[in-house]
Amino acid sequence: MGGYKGYGLNMMVEILCGILADAAFGPNVRPWSHSDREANLGQGFIAVDPGRFGEDFAERLQGFIDLMRHLPPADPSKPVLVAGDPERIHIAKCENLGGIPYHPNQFEHAIELAKGLDVQPMRAVGQ
């Protein structure tokens, strides 16, 4: 069950991205698994100047991020991450590997697709 803050944030997103954008909202949003009608998805953008709220925004934000990263994790084998951390971890993995790791099924699908299109298939680095 969600609390009042999550409920309020959800309402804000629906208002900004659905109602204000003249797009579908709430139960009117088409499920991803259906293609019988236009999705009519909206977007909402807000520009905020943090300097208008105080002079030490960057330091306070960094303090908050540090606080979040040092919370005790629910799973001791996995650290608490903040937005951008998974991407930074993945970029480092790709750099260490010298390329993007693909699941074997993705690679096989790409090879079959290349055959069907009569183009040169991609090849794995080191093969």
Side-chain angles (χ1 to χ4, degrees):
M1 291 232 180
Y4 67 93
K5 288 182 183 178
Y7 176 80
L9 286 171
N10 180 64
M11 286 190 64
M12 182 180 72
V13 168
E14 292 291 340
I15 292 167
L16 294 174
C17 298
I19 297 168
L20 186 63
D22 194 27
F25 60 90
N28 303 314
V29 174
R30 185 198 79 195
W32 286 107
S33 59
H34 295 83
S35 60
D36 58 328
R37 65 185 193 274
E38 182 182 327
N40 191 21
L41 300 176
Q43 299 178 11
F45 301 92
I46 299 174
V48 176
D49 178 0
R52 299 286 184 176
F53 296 90
E55 296 179 11
D56 59 348
F57 173 78
E59 293 81 13
R60 290 171 44 84
L61 177 60
Q62 189 60 56
F64 177 66
I65 290 171
D66 293 343
L67 178 71
M68 294 296 105
R69 284 188 177 133
H70 291 95
L71 288 171
D75 179 345
S77 69
K78 297 179 182 177
V80 174
L81 303 176
V82 299
D85 285 349
E87 292 79 7
R88 281 186 280 281
I89 291 167
H90 185 71
I91 289 169
K93 179 180 181 178
C94 293
E95 288 173 351
N96 288 337
L97 292 172
I100 301 169
Y102 286 94
H103 187 278
N105 291 346
Q106 290 174 300
F107 201 76
E108 289 300 320
H109 177 73
I111 290 171
E112 291 302 315
L113 180 62
K115 287 179 186 175
L117 296 172
D118 196 29
V119 297
Q120 184 72 29
M122 66 178 185
R123 63 177 183 80
V125 173
Q127 291 190 359

